[in-house]
Amino acid sequence: DHAEAPAFSIMKKVDVYKDCLLWKSRLFDMHELLKKHPDEEDFAVVRPIDDGECVLMGSMTRNQIDRLISALDPDGTKPDLQIDLMDPELQRPADGSEPYVEGCPPHVTPNTTVREIYLIMKVAHGENVVFVTRDGCLLGTITFGALMQAKK
């Protein structure tokens, strides 16, 4: 039964150094990531650990990245400006505006079933993506579209 298939069987594997934002990123790196992945909407924010793996720290949508670049460098003159994406002000702006970074993105373990992921995405959160992690380290992503395609 497909509903009992594990997350790792339908996830899209992520190259943490090419497909994600490091927790300390330059505006240039953010811009390049958007250009390199024109069809992606959600990006993990990760922090490298010793063995080449990266811990999932947060996430940003394409729109949030665009908004942050525009807010911090409206004239495009500071591409080397480095941003700490774990700055609490980016997750909960003092002015009450929309956050730039999601600090606790939805994530599941590799053995979470397709049925459970569906419930997390549709019922609990209304999310478009969940991240697949093992011991906090990012392995891959599952979008709602991919989940529904896999169910057929």
Side-chain angles (χ1 to χ4, degrees):
D1 183 13
H2 174 73
E4 300 309 315
F8 70 81
S9 71
I10 64 164
M11 76 178 190
K12 176 179 163 194
K13 189 163 176 20
V14 172
D15 179 325
V16 289
Y17 291 100
K18 291 182 181 168
D19 305 333
C20 302
L21 288 166
L22 294 178
W23 68 290
K24 289 192 175 178
S25 288
R26 298 176 308 161
L27 294 177
F28 177 81
D29 301 324
M30 293 179 201
H31 180 72
E32 287 298 302
L33 186 69
L34 294 181
K35 277 184 12 188
K36 192 164 56 173
H37 299 284
D39 299 327
E40 293 291 326
E41 283 301 315
D42 298 276
F43 299 91
V45 176
V46 297
R47 184 173 189 163
I49 55 177
D50 300 341
D51 54 8
E53 292 186 304
C54 287
V55 174
L56 177 65
M57 303 287 292
S59 67
M60 295 178 78
T61 64
R62 174 174 293 280
N63 180 268
Q64 287 170 319
I65 296 170
D66 276 336
R67 281 182 35 240
L68 184 62
I69 292 170
S70 296
L72 297 177
D73 191 16
D75 302 324
T77 56
K78 299 183 278 191
D80 286 329
L81 182 65
Q82 188 169 51
I83 309 301
D84 179 349
L85 296 174
M86 292 296 99
D87 182 333
E89 178 66 21
L90 298 178
Q91 295 181 31
R92 190 166 177 205
D95 64 6
S97 63
E98 287 288 314
Y100 293 100
V101 178
E102 172 68 44
C104 299
H107 57 280
V108 298
T109 65
N111 294 325
T112 305
T113 66
V114 167
R115 178 189 325 271
E116 292 168 320
I117 296 166
Y118 177 82
L119 290 173
I120 289 167
M121 293 179 98
K122 274 318 273 182
V123 180
H125 298 288
E127 300 289 349
N128 289 323
V129 67
V130 294
F131 296 95
V132 182
T133 62
R134 181 186 304 117
D135 299 329
C137 292
L138 182 63
L139 302 174
T141 62
I142 299 172
T143 63
F144 190 71
L147 183 71
M148 297 314 292
Q149 284 180 334
K151 287 185 85 166
K152 292 176 182 167

